[in-house]
Amino acid sequence: MSDPVIKVEGLTKKFGSFTAVNDVSMEIRRGQVHGFVGPNGSGKTTTIRMMCGLMIPTSGMVTVLGMSVPEQAKLVRCHVGYMTQRFSLYEDMTVRENMAFLCRVHGFGHKRRIERIDEVLEQFDLVPLADRRVGPMSGGQKRRIALGAAILTEPELLILDEPTSEVDPNTRREMWGHFFDLAQAGSTLLVTTHLMDEAERCHRLTVMNQGEVVADGSVDRLKEELPATVLEVSGGEVTPLVNDISTLEGVLAVNQVGTVIRVLTRDASITNQIAMAIPQSFSISEVPVTIEDVFVSATRDGSRA
Amino acid sequence: MNTISSSIARIVAICVKEVTQLRRDRLTFAMVVAIPLMQLLMFGYSINTKVRHIPIAVCDHSASSFSRQLIEDVQASQVVTVTTRAGNPNQLHTMVQNGVVSAGLYIPIDSERRYYSDNGEAIAQLIVDGSDTVMASALKALGHFPFLPGGVSSFTHNPGDISVTLLYNPAQRSELNTVPGLLGLILTMTMVMFTAVAIVRERERGNMELLIATPVKTAELMIGKLIPYVVIGMIQMTIILWLGYLLFQVPVAGSWWLLIGSCLVFIFANLGLGLVLSTVAPNQMGAMQLFIFIFLPSILLSGFMFPYAGMPEVAQKIAEALPMTHFMRIVRGIILRDAQFEGIQTDLLFLALFFVGTLTLAILRFRQRLD
Ligand SMILES: Nc1ncnc2c1ncn2[C@@H]1O[C@H](COP(=O)(O)OP(=O)(O)OP(=O)(O)O)[C@@H](O)[C@H]1O
Ligand SMILES: [Mg+2]
């Protein structure tokens, strides 16, 4: 396989005495949609900013598209579309004006600019919003606009920081459709998200916690290699059982999903203990691991930094 | 070649963006025109009425052709207008005291004899309401008024000898001084203020992360932000000079090209200064505070309000560092005295170097980073 599009080694970023990113190493391969997940404050945005050369690492090295960052950040910026977590387009300008600005900055000629903007507006259903000011628009509309702006210049690498937060489920599906189309066409995407169904769809996934990478690999492998078993308890009013089960030795996490309880355990041997702790009318069964289970078990410690 | 043209494209991108935002920002846009208009009218007219046609009362005990000529000549200076007559010196005094007139002129019965005598007696007395210093000093100048066939003086002997002759501005028309001064004041105010927020605004509104993630280089950003304001500065310059001519008949004695060129250099110097403030300030509010910090000495020390020569040495040193001081010399020179390039070249050079220095500093200080 070809060189990784982004290669990060031993990346560390300190703000004063606080270490926001600690010895992170990861690789993002060409043509993939790479998911980037982790609890709030785990250091995803900070890592991304260092990849874009917007922050200088305390130590470690970053290579993007074969160029080292921050040294060659200026060159790299011509090939990267970056969608910021906080909305950063000009609120007092219209959608079209914002896009025209970005096209000009990237050296698009007049004709190419007009064509490309129309194309993107069409693609993201932004035509009715095109000549309205961005400021008063809804959260989801702004996300769509920002995403459109990021892909506007057809960059070979897209770094999207929470592109789907505030976005309705239908638009979310459409966006993910776009992501895979782009990946199919040869682009590479790094996408952060807090939504596990989105994480599940990625080719590969990196999980961060408290500034460190705690899980990294393809989604299937992460699930396979999870050193845990998921048991499902059902058959009645389960809510009162949550406390009883979570205090048991060997239980990693307990989560109620509607009328069932999902119990994340180290292994299936705990089944008997659970059975003794709860009334006999309930049934216990082993179910397949989801990526949420991977996330929960990887980020259990101090998830609220 | 390719790098230059793509660099120009990026500068154009920034320019277009700035202009678009400027058009949307009604308040700023209004300021471009409103500030020169307001200040010119306020300063121009208020100072104008103060030193011209001050109402005075006359008590003429001499009632001769000599005294009548004296009164005529005093009025011909346009500083005063005789609005009232008084019967005796006491009445005159009361009128001044009550503010009916700003001054009273008393001409004694023997004033013509005093004029030709050699013992230094004043030929007339001017009682001045000293509460308004600007007015008082204008009236005091009347004491040295060159009166022929002889001189009138209430204060000094032999006024023909010590009569104060005012060069370039014999009628004490202060708007001749004020209009060029306002040109400097308004350009300092708007140019520094606009650019001082130009960069912190991007930071404060959260646009910086997007902006620095684009291929725009620092120098391109700075230059792109400057250009629209240069145009604004030129618009303001036109308004001030045109209104100055229309309302106050301030002519331009010197070369128009020299004047426009000097304004341009001054505009650049101020924009550079504003950019530096913008890279220092933590937020827009801080930028405004820094701006005031520069603006106050520019008004007080530059020679706009008080004569440069009369200031203490420390103040003069500070004034030398301000672009406004140099511009003041240049512009008064060109507008009032028909100064040539040779006469203003050191001040122009200072402004040019000031621009280069501040722009360099702004570029060096600006970090394309978030930490
Ligand atoms: N400029 C900064 N100065 C000081 N601390 C910072 C700075 N930027 C980020 N941090 C800290 O670094 C940590 C990581 O922040 P970061 O924004 O990278 O988290 P994140 O994973 O993107 O979180 P979220 O999911 O909420 O977006 C946080 O604790 C944050 O407070
Ligand atoms: Mg983040």
Side-chain angles (χ1 to χ4, degrees):
Chain A
M1 221 178 156
S2 60
D3 284 345
V5 175
I6 302 179
K7 190 169 162 54
V8 167
E9 263 175 278
L11 195 65
T12 300
K13 178 70 189 180
K14 291 186 173 151
F15 295 111
S17 59
F18 173 71
T19 308
V21 173
N22 189 14
D23 195 23
V24 163
S25 299
M26 60 196 279
E27 273 186 19
I28 288 136
R29 295 186 194 151
R30 192 171 298 279
Q32 291 205 329
V33 178
H34 191 113
F36 200 15
V37 296
N40 292 134
S42 56
K44 303 180 296 292
T45 300
T46 308
T47 306
I48 284 175
R49 284 174 171 168
M50 288 189 281
M51 289 172 178
C52 296
L54 304 179
M55 278 185 174
I56 305 299
T58 309
S59 63
M61 64 152 250
V62 182
T63 315
V64 177
L65 299 165
M67 294 173 268
S68 68
V69 174
E71 291 80 8
Q72 289 172 283
K74 285 199 180 102
L75 255 177
V76 171
R77 283 174 195 152
C78 300
H79 305 279
V80 178
Y82 173 38
M83 175 171 164
T84 56
Q85 182 173 356
R86 178 184 169 187
F87 185 74
S88 58
L89 288 166
Y90 294 96
E91 303 219 335
D92 49 359
M93 304 207 299
T94 66
V95 179
R96 206 186 286 275
E97 285 163 350
N98 268 294
M99 291 188 169
F101 168 66
L102 290 171
C103 283
R104 283 199 188 92
V105 157
H106 282 269
F108 281 36
H110 181 76
K111 188 160 171 281
R112 181 158 166 235
R113 185 170 77 229
I114 305 285
E115 281 173 7
R116 180 61 187 153
I117 290 174
D118 282 340
E119 196 176 303
V120 171
L121 289 175
E122 193 76 43
Q123 205 174 0
F124 286 86
D125 296 330
L126 292 171
V127 178
L129 301 178
D131 294 305
R132 280 170 43 189
R133 275 184 224 184
V134 171
M137 288 188 189
S138 80
Q141 288 171 332
K142 283 183 179 174
R143 291 272 139 194
R144 244 158 59 208
I145 295 162
L147 180 60
I151 68 156
L152 190 62
T153 55
E154 300 177 296
E156 54 178 304
L157 171 62
L158 272 165
I159 298 180
L160 311 173
D161 202 351
E162 299 194 18
T164 60
S165 67
E166 297 180 282
V167 170
D168 68 66
N170 291 333
T171 313
R172 233 156 36 86
R173 280 161 163 256
E174 281 173 29
M175 281 187 175
W176 276 87
H178 284 306
F179 296 167
F180 286 106
D181 289 345
L182 288 165
Q184 188 65 48
S187 295
T188 309
L189 294 92
L190 176 62
V191 183
T192 78
T193 179
H194 288 296
L195 297 167
M196 288 306 128
D197 63 314
E198 293 183 356
E200 198 108 34
R201 301 176 70 164
C202 296
H203 294 117
R204 281 172 72 87
L205 203 57
T206 299
V207 186
M208 277 191 88
N209 188 35
Q210 292 190 313
E212 293 178 21
V213 173
V214 286
D216 185 35
S218 76
V219 170
D220 289 339
R221 233 187 68 203
L222 284 175
K223 286 196 225 171
E224 262 166 40
E225 293 180 357
L226 181 71
T229 308
V230 179
L231 303 172
E232 219 170 62
V233 179
S234 62
E237 189 55 59
V238 291
T239 314
L241 307 179
V242 172
N243 271 337
D244 296 337
I245 297 173
S246 55
T247 50
L248 290 173
E249 180 76 22
V251 171
L252 301 175
V254 180
N255 188 23
Q256 184 177 353
V257 184
T259 56
V260 298
I261 300 179
R262 288 174 61 89
V263 185
L264 192 66
T265 63
R266 267 194 240 293
D267 51 62
S269 65
I270 201 170
T271 316
N272 290 337
Q273 275 174 290
I274 295 175
M276 280 190 290
I278 60 174
Q280 288 202 329
S281 56
F282 291 91
S283 62
I284 304 170
S285 57
E286 195 176 326
V287 291
V289 172
T290 64
I291 211 70
E292 181 161 350
D293 299 319
V294 174
F295 182 87
V296 169
S297 71
T299 61
R300 238 171 346 123
D301 321 311
S303 57
R304 305 217 166 260
Chain B
M1 202 52 224
N2 196 22
T3 59
I4 291 174
S5 67
S6 59
S7 188
I8 288 171
R10 289 191 290 263
I11 291 174
V12 169
I14 300 280
C15 279
V16 172
K17 181 208 101 178
E18 287 293 314
V19 171
T20 310
Q21 289 186 299
L22 210 65
R23 275 194 304 146
R24 299 284 149 76
D25 189 354
R26 292 249 177 84
L27 200 64
T28 306
F29 202 57
M31 268 175 58
V32 171
V33 178
I35 285 184
L37 224 77
M38 261 175 42
Q39 299 228 13
L40 202 68
L41 293 179
M42 274 176 357
F43 276 87
Y45 275 124
S46 59
I47 294 173
N48 184 21
T49 51
K50 256 181 201 159
V51 292
R52 293 180 79 193
H53 305 296
I54 300 169
I56 65 162
V58 171
C59 173
D60 183 6
H61 279 176
S62 167
S64 58
S65 66
F66 174 83
S67 67
R68 276 191 293 277
Q69 194 182 349
L70 173 63
I71 295 168
E72 280 307 305
D73 276 19
V74 165
Q75 290 194 91
S77 71
Q78 290 196 1
V79 176
V80 296
T81 307
V82 176
T83 56
T84 332
R85 296 271 169 177
N88 58 56
N90 278 344
Q91 214 181 335
L92 210 58
H93 193 268
T94 318
M95 281 174 154
V96 174
Q97 198 168 29
N98 296 342
V100 180
V101 290
S102 298
L105 180 66
Y106 174 60
I107 307 172
I109 231 164
D110 57 346
S111 88
E112 189 164 7
R113 183 196 59 75
R114 289 177 184 219
Y115 181 75
Y116 292 109
S117 82
D118 238 358
N119 54 11
E121 278 177 300
I123 56 161
Q125 191 188 5
L126 193 67
I127 310 165
V128 175
D129 170 12
S131 56
D132 188 321
T133 50
V134 179
M135 198 154 61
S137 66
L139 287 168
K140 259 161 81 182
L142 276 183
H144 313 290
F145 181 72
F147 177 55
L148 293 170
V152 189
S153 174
S154 51
F155 310 107
T156 36
H157 164 62
N158 205 351
D161 287 348
I162 346 169
S163 66
V164 178
T165 317
L166 292 170
L167 276 173
Y168 311 120
N169 193 6
Q172 277 281 280
R173 287 181 53 206
S174 62
E175 69 272 18
L176 285 190
N177 244 331
T178 307
V179 171
L182 278 181
L183 186 58
L185 188 75
I186 291 164
L187 288 178
T188 301
M189 190 162 155
T190 45
M191 294 298 99
V192 179
M193 195 156 64
F194 286 161
T195 40
V197 295
I199 286 169
V200 277
R201 191 182 54 207
E202 304 261 353
R203 223 173 261 284
E204 208 165 302
R205 292 191 189 167
N207 307 123
M208 195 52 96
E209 192 166 0
L210 171 94
L211 190 60
I212 62 182
T214 65
V216 175
K217 299 195 176 75
T218 307
E220 293 161 356
L221 176 67
M222 298 286 172
I223 293 167
K225 276 183 174 285
L226 285 191
I227 292 172
Y229 295 106
V230 174
V231 177
I232 287 179
M234 296 311 273
I235 293 173
Q236 291 191 318
M237 183 199 76
T238 313
I239 295 176
I240 298 162
L241 290 178
W242 184 64
L243 277 183
Y245 180 73
L246 215 67
L247 299 176
F248 307 111
Q249 290 79 49
V250 177
V252 175
S255 144
W256 273 97
W257 289 117
L258 204 54
L259 181 61
I260 292 170
S262 305
C263 283
L264 205 57
V265 179
F266 180 59
I267 287 169
F268 273 111
N270 279 325
L271 293 176
L273 179 60
L275 283 182
V276 171
L277 296 188
S278 204
T279 57
V280 175
N283 49 43
Q284 292 194 70
M285 187 64 202
M288 277 299 124
Q289 287 164 334
L290 282 174
F291 159 70
I292 300 285
F293 191 72
I294 299 281
F295 187 57
L296 280 183
S298 290
I299 299 179
L300 297 175
L301 303 181
S302 64
F304 171 70
M305 285 239 153
F306 311 112
Y308 177 84
M311 288 188 301
E313 205 175 318
V314 189
Q316 287 185 344
K317 288 237 168 70
I318 298 172
E320 280 303 314
L322 298 167
M324 172 88 165
T325 310
H326 296 269
F327 183 66
M328 226 47 168
R329 281 187 212 140
I330 294 174
V331 80
R332 283 182 172 160
I334 297 175
I335 294 187
L336 302 175
R337 283 188 276 113
D338 186 19
Q340 302 300 305
F341 178 72
E342 291 70 37
I344 58 170
Q345 60 184 358
T346 46
D347 289 315
L348 266 185
L349 184 67
F350 174 88
L351 291 180
L353 290 178
F354 189 89
F355 169 62
V356 174
T358 47
L359 184 66
T360 311
L361 191 64
I363 290 173
L364 289 179
R365 273 201 58 92
F366 180 74
R367 286 171 190 286
Q368 288 206 321
R369 279 193 244 130
L370 295 170
D371 52 354

